[in-house]
Amino acid sequence: MNISGNTIFIPGSTSGIGLALALALRARGNTVIIGGRRTELLERIAAEHPGIDTVRIDTTDAESIGSAAKEVLARHPDLNVLVTMSGIMRIEDWHQPESFLASAESVITTNVLGPIRLIAAFIEHLRARPDATIVTVSSGLAFTPLKITPSYNASKAAIHMLSESIRLQLADTNVKITELVPPSVRTSLLPGHEDNEHAVPLDEFVAEAVALLESQPDAKEIQVERVKFLRYGEARGDYDQVVETVNASDPHGK
């Protein structure tokens, strides 16, 4: 995707990477629509950042996605970029079903079904645009597991393979698939993670990611330097050491 001149919808972007990316893209000359569940938070963001549009959407709810898509397209018929940002991360213990099943179902609904439903809601519109992009959001944990978050790891691995697969299918259209692959970033994805010294500062990550989007408009994956340690462990032949390092440095580990 080109770094400017787009109309971009980013659901799940009222905080963390999503909000920071939305503001950075807005500053680069894009029209940006932020989506989230909390009306009061959306109103505050709109007031604090004039020019940012907002729409209420619950990406765990198929009807909400459908309604939000109609609202976005009615107000922004030139929409050409969808960023499937929304995601949750849960610490789980898989020794007994009562300690992980409900969490796993929630994670998969949000992190896998959510992006699938979003793409379904927008794909026909995007196919009609002369130049469109779907940005999926996986994780370095799609390639190297963190012991305490099995469902999250699995959901992001699914998003990676979904991205690879639909890129092949949509090669006969004007829709590009770009996968954003974050490392551990200082956000509230897990309690206390904003202060995790092993994670990349949020502003540093977003600045590097946007610079890569600008310099590599046709990139299949946006990989900041810090994620390559996780992304290429198997290819380098040091996968076991990478797994050990990631789990030893996790502040929530047991």
Side-chain angles (χ1 to χ4, degrees):
M1 60 175 276
N2 295 324
I3 198 61
S4 62
N6 304 290
T7 300
I8 306 171
F9 179 40
I10 314 180
S13 54
T14 54
S15 64
I17 292 174
L19 179 57
L21 182 63
L23 297 178
L25 290 172
R26 166 70 176 166
R28 292 299 187 100
N30 299 285
T31 298
V32 178
I33 308 100
I34 285 175
R37 291 182 298 172
R38 294 169 51 190
T39 302
E40 69 278 9
L41 186 52
L42 292 171
E43 291 174 348
R44 189 181 78 195
I45 290 170
E48 292 176 352
H49 305 284
I52 292 279
D53 196 5
T54 63
V55 63
R56 188 189 179 283
I57 183 171
D58 180 353
T59 58
T60 67
D61 184 331
E63 290 187 8
S64 177
I65 289 174
S67 297
K70 291 178 182 177
E71 184 177 348
V72 169
L73 294 177
R75 297 209 301 256
H76 301 278
D78 54 348
L79 181 88
N80 69 312
V81 178
L82 170 68
V83 183
T84 61
M85 177 60 65
S86 58
I88 59 173
M89 189 178 198
R90 298 285 185 265
I91 295 173
E92 299 166 350
D93 181 351
W94 278 57
H95 288 88
Q96 297 174 320
E98 59 268 23
S99 63
F100 72 84
L101 184 56
S103 169
E105 290 174 346
S106 177
V107 168
I108 296 303
T109 298
T110 302
N111 296 8
V112 181
L113 280 180
I116 289 172
R117 288 167 172 165
L118 283 164
I119 293 170
F122 285 95
I123 187 60
E124 290 182 329
H125 170 83
L126 293 173
R127 285 181 59 196
R129 301 298 300 163
D131 184 19
T133 302
I134 296 171
V135 180
T136 58
V137 184
S138 63
S139 168
L141 298 183
F143 307 94
T144 299
L146 182 61
K147 177 179 67 175
I148 60 172
T149 58
S151 297
Y152 181 84
N153 308 339
S155 73
K156 293 305 184 177
I159 291 300
H160 170 67
M161 190 50 65
L162 178 70
S163 305
E164 292 281 293
S165 302
I166 63 176
R167 185 181 296 115
L168 295 174
Q169 283 206 10
L170 298 176
D172 61 349
T173 75
N174 293 320
V175 181
K176 299 174 183 176
I177 306 297
T178 301
E179 180 184 349
L180 177 63
V181 192
S184 181
V185 179
R186 293 180 197 173
T187 69
S188 59
L189 196 59
L190 284 177
H193 197 58
E194 304 98 321
D195 302 316
N196 181 359
E197 64 180 13
H198 299 288
V200 180
L202 177 59
D203 57 350
E204 180 182 318
F205 165 73
V206 170
E208 187 177 353
V210 170
L212 288 171
L213 282 169
E214 183 173 21
S215 64
Q216 302 175 21
D218 295 321
K220 295 179 179 178
E221 291 186 30
I222 298 299
Q223 306 168 1
V224 300
E225 282 302 314
R226 284 282 292 273
V227 84
K228 293 177 182 179
F229 177 67
L230 304 175
R231 175 68 175 86
Y232 295 112
E234 284 194 295
R236 291 191 307 266
D238 61 356
Y239 176 76
D240 289 343
Q241 292 91 330
V242 174
V243 172
E244 182 178 355
T245 300
V246 167
N247 286 278
S249 63
D250 169 51
H252 301 277
K254 299 178 181 178

